[in-house]
Amino acid sequence: MSYIGIDEPGKRMLLMGNEAIARGALEAGVHFCSGYPGNPASEILTTLSDVAKEFDSYVEWSVNEIVALEAAGAAAISGLRALTAMKNLGADVCADFLMTANLSGTKGGFVLVTGDDPSAHSTTSELDTRNYARFAGIPLLEPATTQEAKDMTNWAFDLSEELEVICMIRTVTRLSHSRGVVTLGPIKPEKRSANFGFQDMWTSGSSRITCMLHSILHEKLKKAQAKFEESKFNWYVGKDDADFIIVTSGTGWLYSLEAVKLLELEEDVGILKLGTTWPLPEKLIASHLRHAKEVLFVEETDPFLEQNVKVLAADLAIEGFGPIRFYGKKSNSIRGEFGAGTGELDVDIVIQALTEIKELTYVPTEKEYISKAQELLSSIVPSRTMSFCAGCPHRASLWAIKKALKWDGRDGIVTGDIGCYSLAMLPTGFSVARTLQCMGAGIGTANGFGNLRRFGLNKPVVALTGDSTFYHACIPALINARWNGANLLLVVLDNNTTAMTGHQPHPGSGVNALGQSSSKVLIENICKGIGVEVQVCDPFNLDEAVQNLYEMLQTDGTKVMIFRHACPLAFPQEKKVRVYVDQDKCIGEECGCAKFCTRVFGCPGNIWDYEEGKAKIDETICNGCGFCAELCPEEAIIIEEAA
Amino acid sequence: MYRIEIKGPRELQNEVLDKELCSACGACTNLCPYIDMVAGRAVMIEPCNLSEGKCYDFCPRTYIDVPTLDNDLFGTYRSDLRIGSNIMVIKARARDDEIKSAAQYGGVVSALVTYALESGEIEAAVLAGASIDQINPKPTVVRNRSDVLQCAGSKYIVCPTITEVLEAAKKTTGKIGLVGTPCQVTSVRKMQASKFETAADKIGLVIGLFCTWALLPQAQDYIKDLVGSVNLVKFDVPPPPANMFIIETETKKVEVSLDEMRRFIMPACNVCFDMTSEFADISVGTVEGAADWNTVIVRTGFGKELFRQAREAGIIETAPLEKERLDHLYEASLNRKKKVLKEMESKKISCLIIREEDRSKLLS
């Protein structure tokens, strides 16, 4: 029995937000789970896959988010409870299906969990997915605590099933990845048979049928709204007739509570905490707008509540509400380092807004303390940039690309993509990549760069992708390139895993989310099927890698180079070797090397011996790949088979 | 004395590579992980952070300090402005039939290298060897007669011979030899004169070739188009006024106008001041109108001694070079210097350091 599946109602456990979401789904008796890995949502599916056997449920890592949502949708219309989890940008990928699935409806509970990433810790955008709920016209829940993450997920299945519409849960990094105490509820596994009968139809139709279904969706939303008016996830704290209220959701709730407490404003400021944020519980909100003269909105990223509540307030004006002064993103009251509507919320941001509005003085931290702390830290914390792990094959691949492009000499363009190798834009990747957008945009944009010769841009174009990203988002673009004659070289950095999000398997791994073996979908076979030239090469065979890349760049056409070498974190080397520097041979900073291994190549396993002025190996993190030994111009790096 | 400023890879990039002055000699490559030789050009993968480097110091296009090099080699500044310091200019050819048939002209280069190897004067030598496609020459380390014969024949496409010289020297206990073009000979002499420590002191014999230009590797595609995929036997450029480039294959002989080939001449060759490898121990070239002979300029005492021994051992035979031919050699070499010096002045290339009186003499 895994800890997440413990059937002890009332037991209190410390769970990560994503685990709480998974637990909520288990309590709801989820049958079918799907998703694509992406921070901060990855652990939801990982947790569910760990207990799939135990609960007789089905869990899959899908090839991408839209396939995940479509597959889950089919399970749900067949009467099962289905959950799909993804990061915020995954919602973009599945949006096409979402915009018809909302109309088509569901039978079993159908829940979409999106993990937003304010401050973009591990994302290329701060996209606020709540807009998708409004866009698609579907119920939206926003947990504020770990407990709510579990409880809301559980309830979302009931709500979806009752209203026959997909429901959305929006979490954020700070909730998904923090831990909190959760009181467990009962697990209600319910055996269900999937059924999609002879007469069943599942479509958003077209023309009049679509309009009719659209109208039905509006009715469903009204029902949801009625339920939300009574929801236990919405509450108010403070004086019943407070002039000043904070309207908040998600993480904003605890930040607001803490800010009000620290400023000792409990008597003056009421807090309306909303857990059901689309459609808005209008009556509940109106009951508090009635006594408010000033309203401050505290929410992550977009002014979602802010705009929707203001629309409500406009409707209420005729009933004698107001005038109310609103504060939030538009008034620039809630703003972080990069201004309003950007970056993560925190307590200090709420304090800053309250002190400005209420003209209070509150110094959270002495300025002197901050400068002293910074000074102290800078003396003990080394400054460092993000880096590929020790022994990472991407470092070798990108060095090969850098060399091949220099050999070519035409200032080739490298388009980057999403994965560990996004670091190709930084010194650890020799700064070779010059673009980075979304999944698949490397080859997508390369289709354009590779067809601009007629407009005077005549440079070789190299598109990067990882293996998982290749399956996810690159295949149509590769077909497009072949079809429209784009001159591009797609380099697939195949490390046999979805490394960046925590080593989830993918179609080329030979294993699925349940740990069952599956036949590998080989990238080279796909490329051959498309009819493009493809080569496979181990990037640790540097000379061959550079030569082959260089030769491929010398002629026109759409081509693929697969640099294949397994991620050493996921697949540690079996043969143990010891790598060390023979410091008598090392010439250090002298001409002929100039600290190549530490200054340029930059594997964390290569470190500098300041006392000797020579290179050395950090044997605690060196994984023994031995690639630096191949690069050392003095052959000073020795590989020795460990005893 | 002239003050030479040794600079680093960034200046090599700015002063030589960016200006297309790289002659692909190979002296800056194989020294470090930052510079590669690719298709007739040195390519900076990423400049290292040093302000002084061997790459800059060894390059025959960063600076050529003629007075210092002359002094190091000959003990004095050149006595002959036309073809550089020399002890004698003579006609010679190999006596060995096998060498003669493999060689392009008189076979003196192959014969001397073979003799130096066999007499123990050197342990190995670096030559421009034929590559598999028979077009692009590749630096080759030879250790015996049959290795040398494999490399015989004139190469017209540039070969970065020097990439292998220091490597070969490191791996040899005895001395090594080298056959190179004037730029390559210059870079090797710069290595020997350098303050940087290398294995260049193991270079025991430097045979220089007469050279007026080399072709870019891109010429190979053109040549392949001309003759198809057949085995090439040799290239030849008969002396003026023929104005021909001759490609011989196993089955045919294709003649191309030299003007056709000129577009493949390395731009770096247009600023080369040295036609006869003036810093070699022995320089070897053709004899106009006598295809089975070589012109030989013996320059250093060491070169003189080796040449004498080879002749006494019956490896080569010699004859005096006719005055008319000698005068023609002087004239051709001098004219080249005048032309190139003007070219350098107009392009503001200041790498050549010679005495001021010589400069004004040549420019007048």
Side-chain angles (χ1 to χ4, degrees):
Chain A
M1 170 71 69
S2 65
Y3 72 93
I4 202 72
I6 289 174
D7 192 13
E8 289 181 35
K11 186 180 168 71
R12 286 155 61 81
M13 286 179 75
L14 191 63
L15 294 183
M16 201 208 296
N18 282 340
E19 290 176 325
I21 291 168
R23 171 72 193 195
L26 290 174
E27 289 184 3
V30 69
H31 304 97
F32 190 107
C33 309
S34 62
Y36 183 80
N39 292 321
S42 307
E43 298 84 0
I44 300 170
L45 258 272
T46 313
T47 307
L48 288 166
S49 71
D50 288 346
V51 294
K53 209 172 168 189
E54 204 176 304
F55 286 87
D56 208 16
S57 59
Y58 174 79
V59 178
E60 74 165 41
W61 283 120
S62 308
V63 74
N64 62 27
E65 290 87 352
I66 190 166
V67 174
L69 193 68
E70 287 161 345
I77 198 64
S78 304
L80 303 179
R81 290 197 153 187
L83 174 138
T84 302
M86 58 190 62
K87 71 180 292 161
N88 59 345
L89 300 186
D92 295 333
V93 178
C94 73
D96 211 0
F97 177 68
L98 186 61
M99 297 306 155
T100 60
N102 56 349
L103 301 173
S104 310
T106 181
K107 277 189 207 158
F110 186 14
V111 176
L112 165 62
V113 183
T114 60
D116 287 2
D117 191 15
S119 277
H121 298 288
S122 50
T123 313
T124 49
S125 160
E126 289 191 292
L127 175 77
D128 184 337
T129 52
R130 292 179 299 173
N131 296 297
Y132 273 114
R134 183 169 59 176
F135 202 9
I138 58 174
L140 169 68
L141 306 177
E142 274 188 80
T145 62
T146 322
Q147 181 72 48
E148 273 197 344
K150 178 192 80 69
D151 294 342
M152 276 186 183
T153 309
N154 189 344
W155 186 60
F157 282 95
D158 293 340
L159 181 69
S160 166
E161 213 158 274
E162 188 181 337
L163 302 178
E164 299 185 340
V165 68
I166 180 171
C167 287
M168 186 167 149
I169 295 174
R170 182 235 197 178
T171 174
V172 293
T173 305
R174 208 48 67 173
L175 176 63
S176 281
H177 282 170
S178 63
R179 287 177 185 272
V181 175
V182 175
T183 305
L184 303 184
I187 290 178
K188 306 171 287 194
E190 187 191 337
K191 285 269 177 209
R192 286 191 194 177
S193 299
N195 184 32
F196 192 73
F198 181 65
Q199 298 278 323
D200 287 340
M201 301 267 270
W202 184 40
T203 175
S204 63
S206 70
S207 160
R208 294 177 61 81
I209 294 179
T210 309
C211 296
M212 190 184 76
L213 289 170
H214 201 172
S215 164
I216 291 172
L217 179 62
H218 290 161
E219 289 306 313
K220 290 176 180 175
L221 271 188
K222 276 186 194 150
K223 285 182 192 162
Q225 192 169 41
K227 288 183 168 295
F228 289 177
E229 299 289 1
E230 309 297 326
S231 169
K232 63 171 179 176
F233 300 119
N234 306 322
W235 62 76
Y236 176 81
V237 294
K239 265 174 39 187
D240 286 346
D241 59 347
D243 289 346
F244 191 107
I245 63 167
I246 292 174
V247 176
T248 185
S249 66
T251 54
W253 155 243
L254 287 175
Y255 299 149
S256 299
L257 196 65
E258 192 172 336
V260 167
K261 198 174 165 189
L262 284 170
L263 295 174
E264 296 171 352
L265 289 172
E266 291 99 328
E267 286 301 306
D268 304 319
V269 176
I271 306 174
L272 176 60
K273 181 268 181 195
L274 298 175
T276 67
T277 48
W278 190 256
L280 288 178
E282 292 186 351
K283 286 180 190 150
L284 173 69
I285 296 168
S287 72
H288 295 287
L289 289 184
R290 188 173 289 285
H291 58 79
K293 294 192 172 60
E294 291 175 295
V295 173
L296 171 65
F297 296 97
V298 178
E299 55 189 325
E300 293 282 13
T301 325
D302 286 353
F304 182 82
L305 292 175
E306 181 173 331
Q307 289 174 356
N308 294 323
V309 170
K310 280 180 180 174
V311 171
L312 173 63
D315 282 345
L316 293 172
I318 199 149
E319 294 174 28
F321 279 70
I324 302 170
R325 187 178 293 278
F326 292 103
Y327 301 98
K329 303 274 160 66
K330 184 162 186 247
S331 68
N332 204 32
S333 306
I334 296 290
R335 62 177 190 279
E337 187 186 352
F338 299 98
T342 66
E344 262 186 319
L345 276 181
D346 59 29
V347 181
D348 287 348
I349 289 172
V350 183
I351 288 175
Q352 171 186 271
L354 285 171
T355 51
E356 281 177 8
I357 295 164
K358 295 200 156 286
E359 294 176 354
L360 303 170
T361 37
Y362 177 85
V363 182
T365 321
E366 295 283 346
K367 272 195 179 140
E368 209 177 310
Y369 174 85
I370 296 172
S371 64
K372 269 186 187 166
Q374 280 171 344
E375 204 177 297
L376 184 67
L377 277 178
S378 66
S379 67
I380 53 173
V381 179
S383 71
R384 53 185 161 200
T385 162
M386 287 169 86
S387 168
F388 289 117
C389 307
C392 178
H394 293 344
R395 187 179 282 106
S397 297
L398 295 169
W399 183 245
I401 290 170
K402 166 141 185 163
K403 286 187 77 151
L405 286 172
K406 287 285 179 180
W407 284 22
D408 175 84
R410 286 177 289 165
D411 187 25
I413 298 169
V414 179
T415 59
D417 216 304
I418 306 297
C420 295
Y421 55 91
S422 296
L423 296 180
M425 296 196 94
L426 301 181
T428 190
F430 316 109
S431 306
V432 299
R434 289 155 67 190
T435 76
L436 181 62
Q437 307 284 347
C438 64
M439 295 281 284
I443 183 168
T445 54
N447 267 269
F449 285 125
N451 240 330
L452 295 183
R453 191 179 293 169
R454 71 203 73 206
F455 301 109
L457 185 73
N458 188 14
K459 293 179 176 186
V461 179
V462 174
L464 297 180
T465 179
D467 36 359
S468 198
T469 302
F470 176 84
Y471 298 110
H472 178 291
C474 294
I475 297 167
L478 183 59
I479 295 169
N480 189 70
R482 158 113 164 109
W483 181 29
N484 290 309
N487 289 313
L488 65 87
L489 172 58
L490 175 66
V491 178
V492 185
L493 306 172
D494 180 359
N495 58 6
N496 200 31
T497 185
T498 314
M500 187 172 70
T501 48
H503 301 123
Q504 294 82 3
H506 62 55
S509 302
V511 65
N512 63 21
L514 298 171
Q516 299 158 335
S517 69
S518 65
S519 59
K520 289 185 181 187
V521 180
L522 289 175
I523 296 169
E524 54 270 40
N525 288 356
I526 295 171
C527 299
K528 281 177 203 156
I530 291 170
V532 295
E533 180 189 335
V534 58
Q535 286 191 38
V536 184
C537 185
D538 184 338
F540 282 179
N541 295 332
L542 184 69
D543 291 345
E544 185 192 337
V546 177
Q547 185 68 36
N548 291 352
L549 272 184
Y550 172 70
E551 282 171 13
M552 287 174 110
L553 289 172
Q554 300 316 299
T555 51
D556 284 348
T558 306
K559 297 165 195 183
V560 180
M561 166 62 87
I562 301 168
F563 279 145
R564 181 166 288 152
H565 194 104
C567 172
L569 291 188
F571 307 96
Q573 195 161 300
E574 278 169 24
K575 205 169 108 193
K576 291 277 172 243
V577 296
R578 177 183 174 231
V579 180
Y580 66 95
V581 175
D582 179 347
Q583 291 195 336
D584 291 339
K585 284 188 183 168
C586 173
I587 60 167
E589 291 177 279
E590 280 175 37
C591 177
C593 180
K595 297 170 78 171
F596 178 77
C597 61
T598 49
R599 192 180 56 85
V600 178
F601 188 61
C603 175
N606 295 103
I607 55 174
W608 189 245
D609 183 339
Y610 284 92
E611 272 171 32
E612 298 295 328
K614 305 270 178 149
K616 67 175 181 183
I617 302 290
D618 182 346
E619 294 187 32
T620 52
I621 58 168
C622 170
N623 77 341
C625 76
F627 188 61
C628 60
E630 194 185 318
L631 293 173
C632 174
E634 297 299 317
E635 295 172 8
I637 302 179
I638 315 294
I639 305 169
E640 193 178 76
E641 279 196 35
Chain B
M1 271 306 290
Y2 298 91
R3 259 188 71 246
I4 308 292
E5 194 190 347
I6 301 171
K7 301 179 204 167
R10 285 174 204 281
E11 291 82 4
L12 181 73
Q13 180 77 51
N14 297 340
E15 295 173 20
V16 180
L17 306 184
D18 287 350
K19 291 183 178 165
E20 292 193 318
L21 297 182
C22 172
S23 67
C25 70
C28 64
T29 55
N30 232 355
L31 296 171
C32 68
Y34 306 102
I35 308 176
D36 287 345
M37 182 59 65
V38 186
R41 27 182 207 113
V43 173
M44 190 81 66
I45 304 302
E46 166 165 332
C48 73
N49 59 348
L50 299 179
S51 54
E52 287 188 0
K54 294 173 192 165
C55 56
Y56 187 92
D57 197 29
F58 299 168
C59 174
R61 290 290 183 271
T62 50
Y63 67 92
I64 305 173
D65 182 357
V66 173
T68 303
L69 290 180
D70 271 359
N71 213 48
D72 285 355
L73 270 179
F74 311 113
T76 172
Y77 186 66
R78 55 190 52 203
S79 51
D80 189 332
L81 182 62
R82 300 161 300 183
I83 60 165
S85 291
N86 62 85
I87 295 167
M88 63 175 159
V89 184
I90 198 168
K91 226 160 62 171
R93 63 183 174 194
R95 295 184 67 161
D96 182 305
D97 286 339
E98 200 182 3
I99 290 177
K100 271 203 276 193
S101 69
Q104 189 115 5
Y105 296 101
V108 170
V109 171
S110 301
L112 285 177
V113 174
T114 307
Y115 177 72
L117 284 169
E118 286 176 352
S119 64
E121 200 64 58
I122 55 172
E123 191 181 313
V126 187
L127 314 181
S131 67
I132 299 158
D133 61 12
Q134 302 284 315
I135 301 177
N136 264 330
K138 240 173 61 182
T140 308
V141 180
V142 298
R143 293 182 182 275
N144 54 46
R145 177 189 172 92
S146 81
D147 289 351
V148 176
L149 285 172
Q150 292 282 320
C151 296
S154 301
K155 315 290 185 295
Y156 286 88
I157 292 180
V158 64
C159 175
T161 304
I162 311 304
T163 52
E164 288 302 322
V165 168
L166 291 180
E167 276 301 300
K170 259 196 252 173
K171 288 174 188 153
T172 343
T173 44
K175 298 265 182 187
I176 68 152
L178 146 89
V179 178
T181 56
C183 53
Q184 294 170 341
V185 169
T186 305
S187 63
V188 161
R189 293 308 188 198
K190 288 184 75 180
M191 284 177 182
Q192 289 178 317
S194 171
K195 67 167 191 173
F196 287 107
E197 234 174 85
T198 65
D201 54 346
K202 283 208 207 148
I203 297 166
L205 169 65
V206 177
I207 297 181
L209 303 167
F210 290 11
C211 175
T212 45
W213 45 256
L215 297 175
L216 288 162
Q218 284 85 328
Q220 71 163 325
D221 293 334
Y222 175 75
I223 292 167
K224 269 184 187 161
D225 285 349
L226 277 178
V227 301
S229 58
V230 288
N231 276 348
L232 289 152
V233 177
K234 70 170 187 183
F235 299 131
D236 196 12
V237 179
N243 204 36
M244 278 295 167
F245 187 80
I246 298 167
I247 306 152
E248 260 182 65
T249 74
E250 278 172 345
T251 53
K252 59 181 170 183
K253 202 169 172 180
V254 181
E255 292 185 356
V256 194
S257 159
L258 201 50
D259 297 329
E260 217 18 63
M261 297 308 293
R262 283 194 194 279
R263 62 198 158 117
F264 296 113
I265 292 176
M266 300 203 44
C269 297
N270 296 328
V271 292
C272 181
F273 183 80
D274 179 358
M275 193 187 89
T276 60
S277 291
E278 293 170 4
F279 304 111
D281 290 310
I282 299 169
S283 304
V284 182
T286 58
V287 182
E288 280 183 21
D292 54 346
W293 286 93
N294 286 113
T295 300
V296 175
I297 305 174
V298 178
R299 297 183 184 276
T300 62
F302 170 74
K304 183 184 167 194
E305 183 54 24
L306 183 85
F307 191 75
R308 186 190 64 77
Q309 286 172 14
R311 185 164 53 188
E312 276 177 15
I315 303 295
I316 51 173
E317 57 182 311
T318 60
L321 184 68
E322 298 79 358
K323 184 172 181 307
E324 195 185 318
R325 283 177 166 144
L326 183 61
D327 287 343
H328 188 254
L329 175 67
Y330 287 149
E331 192 192 341
S333 181
L334 194 65
N335 283 343
R336 171 147 195 116
K337 286 186 196 301
K338 287 179 172 177
K339 189 178 145 208
V340 164
L341 211 57
K342 281 195 185 110
E343 177 87 8
M344 284 177 151
E345 295 271 319
S346 74
K347 287 187 175 164
K348 296 196 166 57
I349 297 166
S350 55
C351 65
L352 187 72
I353 298 160
I354 51 170
R355 284 188 178 169
E356 273 316 309
E357 63 254 39
D358 287 351
R359 186 180 294 274
S360 28
K361 217 183 280 175
L362 288 167
L363 283 171
S364 65

